[in-house]
């Protein structure tokens, strides 16, 4: 099943994936294969269809909140379809690339045992890789992931930023950005460089296409400087230079530029006129991290950048955010507020929800508080330091809702004449 689908994938457009997946899945006893992908906001699952359209009896769209398949997506668990209408088992299987939740696989299995469930998980994993590899060249998938049109800023931002979730044995990173379809100037980035994890959040002034262009330029300048070896202060200066050269002091961006050394848990950061980071420690809000801020990038005010440092403990969560989160106002004109924001993160951490699901629910809470219409971009970038060991992944798997994989088998030792030793 897996080898055949992988071989076929090299010359396969994404539109052909549902049909080909169904064909090769038969080798493992799977039939009625359906592939669903989540929309940008995480509200609905949409059926990926081929040339033959929607199969008879299949749902084209499925709400995530309040449904059984939605629950499988939220928690990242293989879930039986109930009630069963036949002797065969029917499952919802999460489609996850790394730790990024893409959607669900629905299939019918002739076998209902551990081996069949493992085969279903592996099929979903391969489909995730294929979808991720082909999505940058597929307008079919881009349209399927939208429930409303994107503005130009959102079109640029979503194609510039990394996936919203990443994890290994050292860190768990998750991000959210709203309004997903009408982005102005917010952008985030994270990147790994050996033991270093770079975290970046920018908020460009304005709420027009110019803000989106300014945010994209800031992100590009920061990325370019970082990959040439620039330190935190120099990255901020590179962004400042790029914005002044392009806009001649007419536009600016605030931001946090941070680096976490996963070997010892030291967080270093520079504040360029932005809200300071928050540390959540031991299921309680610790406080803002204090650091003298330099001026917003693009203003040329000449304030020196200060690199500040904080010693983290394993399990600490560093939270970067923009003012659209805390300053969203309800019907009574009261702000959502920093206390409500951090309390939400702490409560859902205690509940044991996967980190990506916590941020998805946070976004829904902010939108509900503001009657579904935000006046400013609301962005969160959260990073939890787990420790220095990249291969110690049990905690990361639990935090992201992934089943823990078995370790690779150890090769048997051999004697001098080549016979195996126990």
């Amino acid at each position: 099943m897996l080898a055949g689908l992988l071989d076929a994938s090299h010359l396969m457009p994404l539109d052909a994936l549902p049909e080909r997946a169904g064909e090769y899945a038969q080798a493992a006893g799977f039939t009625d294969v359906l592939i669903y992908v989540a929309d940008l906001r995480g509200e609905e699952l949409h059926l990926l269809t081929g040339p033959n359209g929607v199969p008879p009896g299949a749902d084209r769209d499925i709400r995530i909140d309040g449904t059984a398949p939605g629950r499988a997506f939220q928690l990242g668990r293989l879930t039986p379809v109930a009630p069963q209408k036949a002797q065969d088992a029917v499952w919802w299987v999460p489609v996850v690339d790394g730790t990024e939740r893409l959607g669900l696989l629905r299939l019918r299995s002739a076998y209902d045992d551990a081996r069949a469930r493992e085969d279903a998980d592996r099929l979903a994993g391969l489909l995730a890789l294929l979808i991720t590899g082909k999505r940058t060249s597929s307008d079919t998938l881009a349209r399927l992931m939208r429930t409303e049109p994107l503005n130009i800023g959102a079109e640029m931002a979503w194609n510039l930023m990394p996936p919203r979730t990443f994890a290994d044995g050292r860190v768990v990173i998750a991000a959210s950005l709203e309004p997903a379809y009408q982005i102005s100037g917010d952008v985030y980035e994270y990147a790994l460089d050996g033991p270093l994890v770079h975290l970046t959040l920018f908020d460009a002034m304005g709420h027009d296409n110019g803000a989106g262009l300014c945010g994209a330029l800031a992100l590009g300048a920061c990325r370019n400087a970082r990959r040439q070896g620039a330190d935190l202060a120099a990255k901020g200066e590179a962004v400042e230079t790029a914005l002044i050269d392009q806009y001649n002091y007419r536009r600016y961006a605030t931001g946090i530029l941070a680096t976490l050394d996963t070997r010892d848990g030291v967080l270093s950061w520079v504040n360029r006129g932005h809200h300071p980071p928050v540390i959540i420690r031991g299921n309680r809000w610790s406080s803002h991290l204090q650091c003298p801020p330099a001026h917003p990038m693009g203003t040329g005010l000449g304030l020196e950048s200060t690199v500040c440092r904080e010693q983290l403990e394993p399990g600490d969560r560093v939270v970067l955010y923009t003012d659209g989160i805390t300053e969203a106002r309800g019907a009574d004109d009261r702000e959502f507020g920093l206390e409500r924001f951090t309390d939400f993160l702490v409560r859902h951490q205690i509940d044991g929800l996967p980190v990506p699901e916590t941020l998805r629910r946070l976004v829904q809470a902010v939108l509900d508080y503001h009657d579904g219409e935000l006046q400013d971009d609301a962005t969160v970038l959260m990073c939890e330091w787990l420790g220095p060991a990249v291969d110690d992944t049990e905690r990361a798997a639990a935090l992201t809702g992934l089943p823990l994989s078995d370790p690779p088998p150890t090769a048997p030792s051999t004697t001098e004449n080549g016979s195996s030793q126990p």
Side-chain angles (χ1 to χ4, degrees):
M1 174 181 68
L2 299 179
L5 184 56
L6 181 60
D7 288 343
S9 70
H10 298 295
L11 300 174
M12 180 201 308
L14 190 68
D15 309 61
L17 183 59
E19 182 178 349
R20 293 290 178 270
E23 292 173 359
Y24 287 104
Q26 294 179 39
F30 300 142
T31 56
D32 300 338
V33 174
L34 300 175
I35 303 170
Y36 287 85
V37 295
D39 70 274
L40 282 174
R41 188 169 281 161
E43 293 179 326
E44 295 181 348
L45 297 157
H46 303 296
L47 181 64
L48 179 62
T49 59
N52 297 324
V54 180
D59 294 319
R60 179 185 290 273
D61 306 307
I62 300 173
R63 293 286 301 177
I64 289 177
D65 288 322
T67 67
R71 188 73 173 166
F73 174 82
Q74 291 170 337
L75 300 181
R77 298 173 184 167
L78 185 149
T79 304
V81 175
Q84 299 287 349
K85 297 182 179 179
Q87 291 184 345
D88 294 345
V90 184
W91 298 322
W92 291 107
V93 188
V95 176
V96 182
D97 177 40
T99 54
E100 183 189 13
R101 302 180 300 171
L102 300 179
L104 287 178
L105 172 66
R106 186 187 188 277
L107 53 77
R108 183 181 300 275
S109 175
Y111 313 101
D112 189 2
D113 54 25
R115 172 62 186 272
R117 290 169 182 250
E118 180 180 283
D119 288 342
D121 281 332
R122 299 299 180 265
L123 174 60
L126 179 55
L127 290 175
L129 292 173
L130 298 182
I131 291 170
T132 300
K134 296 177 182 295
R135 65 180 170 185
T136 55
S137 60
S138 174
D139 279 357
T140 299
L141 183 63
R143 286 193 295 269
L144 193 63
M145 294 176 65
R146 307 173 185 194
T147 57
E148 59 187 81
L150 268 66
N151 69 355
I152 296 173
E155 194 74 61
M156 290 189 297
W158 287 122
N159 284 282
L160 283 172
M161 297 183 297
R164 283 171 282 188
T165 311
F166 172 84
D168 60 24
R170 304 166 298 179
V171 292
V172 171
I173 302 171
S176 66
L177 197 165
E178 278 291 338
Y181 299 95
Q182 301 292 319
I183 297 173
S184 296
D186 281 15
V187 285
Y188 70 83
E189 180 168 61
Y190 60 86
L192 279 75
D193 183 7
L196 304 180
V197 178
H198 302 293
L199 305 167
T200 307
L201 186 64
F202 292 134
D203 182 357
M205 64 164 286
H207 303 91
D208 55 6
N209 286 335
L213 289 167
C214 182
L217 179 58
L219 183 58
C222 178
R223 184 180 291 169
N224 180 258
R226 186 185 70 237
R227 290 173 177 172
Q228 295 183 57
D231 60 20
L232 287 171
K235 287 189 291 185
E237 292 305 311
V239 173
E240 167 126 287
T241 299
L243 296 186
I244 291 175
D245 288 348
Q246 181 64 36
Y247 298 111
N248 193 26
Y249 304 98
R250 296 189 303 273
R251 285 192 178 273
Y252 64 85
T254 68
I256 297 290
L257 302 97
T259 298
L260 170 63
D261 191 327
T262 61
R263 293 168 294 191
D264 55 14
V266 172
L267 177 74
S268 306
W269 81 98
V270 168
N271 186 339
R272 297 301 302 257
H274 198 78
H275 298 284
V278 169
I279 292 288
I280 296 177
R281 174 175 294 163
N283 292 333
R284 60 181 177 85
W285 173 25
S286 177
S287 66
H288 281 102
L289 296 181
Q290 299 302 318
C291 188
H295 57 278
M297 295 160 288
T299 59
L301 296 179
L303 299 178
E304 184 178 356
S305 294
T306 301
V307 178
C308 296
R309 292 177 175 83
E310 180 79 9
Q311 178 63 60
L312 302 185
E313 300 175 3
D316 281 357
R317 292 187 176 185
V318 181
V319 184
L320 313 183
Y321 65 96
T322 61
D323 53 11
I325 285 284
T326 55
E327 295 178 9
R329 294 183 178 272
D332 57 0
D333 203 38
R334 295 178 62 186
E335 292 183 347
F336 191 79
L338 182 61
E339 183 175 354
R340 191 193 308 265
F341 167 52
T342 52
D343 181 64
F344 187 100
L345 295 177
V346 169
R347 283 190 291 107
H348 284 74
Q349 180 177 357
I350 294 173
D351 290 342
L353 285 176
V355 174
E357 179 60 20
T358 294
L359 287 194
R360 191 189 76 87
R361 296 190 184 194
L362 170 67
V363 166
Q364 294 299 322
V366 172
L367 286 169
D368 291 344
Y369 189 80
H370 206 269
D371 293 329
E373 294 292 336
L374 294 176
Q375 302 303 312
D376 193 8
D377 292 352
T379 307
V380 181
L381 178 61
M382 184 165 63
C383 175
E384 178 169 341
W385 180 54
L386 306 178
V390 68
D391 295 325
D392 188 8
T393 56
E394 183 174 356
R395 173 66 175 162
L399 287 171
T400 54
L402 288 179
L404 188 63
S405 299
D406 293 329
T410 302
S413 60
T414 58
T415 62
E416 290 184 4
N417 62 9
S419 60
S420 62
Q421 289 272 90

